[in-house]
Amino acid sequence: MTRTIVIGDVHGCYFELTALLDEIGVHWDDRLVFVGDLITKGPANREVLEFVRQSRNCESVLGNHEYLLLRHYRGEAVKLEPAHLQTIAELGKGFGDCMDWVSCLPHYVDLGDHLVVHAGVRPGCPLERQTVEDLTQLRTLDGTDPGSRKGTPWFERYRGDKIIIFGHWVFDAPLLRDNAIGIDTGCVYGGRLTAVVLPGDRLVSVPARRAYARKKG
Ligand SMILES: [Mn+2]
């Protein structure tokens, strides 16, 4: 049976990605969907991008870090952190080509019963009216800044039919609710890289070899 495997924020952790795919026993006809933030902060951004771009069964939604790099590439005055400059340097001459690829990434992938987004969905708002900031940065609902951590998490108010599978928000263990599954378990910070295997919502994870970045806040 064809499976769909949704994979949390990789952030350049190529070693852990291959360990996770081994652990799952990924087959050529499995469909792999990444929640975005494939790159930045980790040790092997180029390898992760090459893997996702070259594998026919891989696709990814846009993460906030790809989006920030894309805006920089387009000439917008965004504030880059050292991790972004490092990724740009690592990708070198291939950076532009990577950003052309990133510019084509979908903001969500609809799997029928499940919907994959990077960060979240604004409750009560139709999918076509969700902004790119909502889908790539949303955490809580009360602030004006979509990336704010103060107030009510979006998934506490979300009542939609589809189960949202998301990354972005780092949890010690996967967040499991009736209609939302959070799978960023902070691999790049020394946590774990987690996937959901569909059908069945089975969670599989592998530990990070080490911490590659320090978590903010
Ligand atoms: Mn992330």
Side-chain angles (χ1 to χ4, degrees), residues 204-216:
V204 182
S205 72
V206 294
R209 191 151 57 164
R210 64 181 182 86
Y212 303 97
R214 199 176 295 174
K215 203 170 145 189
K216 265 191 286 181

Side-chain angles (χ1 to χ4, degrees), residues 9 11 37 118 184:
D9 299 40
H11 281 293
D37 280 4
H118 180 63
D184 186 356

Side-chain angles (χ1 to χ4, degrees), residues 9 11 36-37 41 64-65 118 167-168 170 184 189:
D9 299 40
H11 281 293
D37 280 4
K41 304 182 187 182
N64 59 304
H65 287 282
H118 180 63
H168 188 60
V170 177
D184 186 356
Y189 307 112

Side-chain angles (χ1 to χ4, degrees), residues 178-197:
D178 287 346
N179 52 12
I181 303 174
I183 56 170
D184 186 356
T185 43
C187 183
V188 78
Y189 307 112
R192 301 179 74 88
L193 185 63
T194 298
V196 189
V197 181

Side-chain angles (χ1 to χ4, degrees), residues 4-8 33-35 111 116 165 183 194-198:
T4 299
I5 296 154
V6 186
I7 298 167
V33 182
F34 292 80
V35 302
L111 298 173
V116 180
I165 304 179
I183 56 170
T194 298
V196 189
V197 181
L198 308 175

Side-chain angles (χ1 to χ4, degrees), residues 4 7 9 20 26 36-37 44 53 58 63 84 89-90 107 109 118 124 151 166 172 179 191 205 215:
T4 299
I7 298 167
D9 299 40
L20 179 66
V26 166
D37 280 4
R53 293 180 66 184
C58 284
H84 301 119
E90 183 187 336
H107 299 169
V109 169
H118 180 63
F166 67 103
D172 292 338
N179 52 12
S205 72
K215 203 170 145 189

